[in-house]
Amino acid sequence: MENGGYTDQIIANASYNASTMSVFVQIPQYFIFGASEILTSITGMEFAYSQAPKVLQGVLLGLFLFTAGLGSYLGSLLVIIVNAATKGSYLVDK
């Protein structure tokens, strides 16, 4: 292990920086993200069916789902922008 918290991994005669952090460190992030998605979806659907007039319930639910999809798309776009800005090497260099 090097001083930067990573170790060298050689794949097909190419050296890559591999993290020494466990995969299980991601469990809290996935749990929090999943819980937030559940709470947000339930709240949006409840609002669409309890507060909107009968003729607009489907429209309001459609707009809610559209904005959720748009947020996911913008998150993916942000990853592409960061990858392009850092030229694909945002990990620790030697």
Side-chain angles (χ1 to χ4, degrees):
M1 182 165 120
E2 302 289 327
N3 291 333
Y6 63 90
T7 184
D8 287 330
Q9 183 178 22
I10 299 173
I11 301 174
N13 295 328
S15 179
Y16 296 96
N17 296 332
S19 176
T20 57
M21 189 179 302
S22 174
V23 173
F24 296 113
V25 172
Q26 297 178 1
I27 289 176
Q29 288 88 350
Y30 275 98
F31 178 76
I32 291 170
F33 182 75
S36 69
E37 280 287 321
I38 290 169
L39 294 173
T40 303
S41 296
I42 290 172
T43 304
M45 289 180 192
E46 178 68 26
F47 180 77
Y49 285 109
S50 67
Q51 301 296 318
K54 289 276 187 201
V55 294
L56 292 177
Q57 286 179 351
V59 173
L60 189 61
L61 185 60
L63 286 173
F64 171 73
L65 293 174
F66 173 74
T67 57
L70 185 63
S72 295
Y73 177 75
L74 291 176
S76 298
L77 184 64
L78 184 62
V79 170
I80 292 170
I81 291 170
V82 168
N83 195 21
T86 58
K87 296 177 183 51
S89 94
Y90 54 88
L91 298 175
V92 178
D93 289 333
K94 290 183 180 180

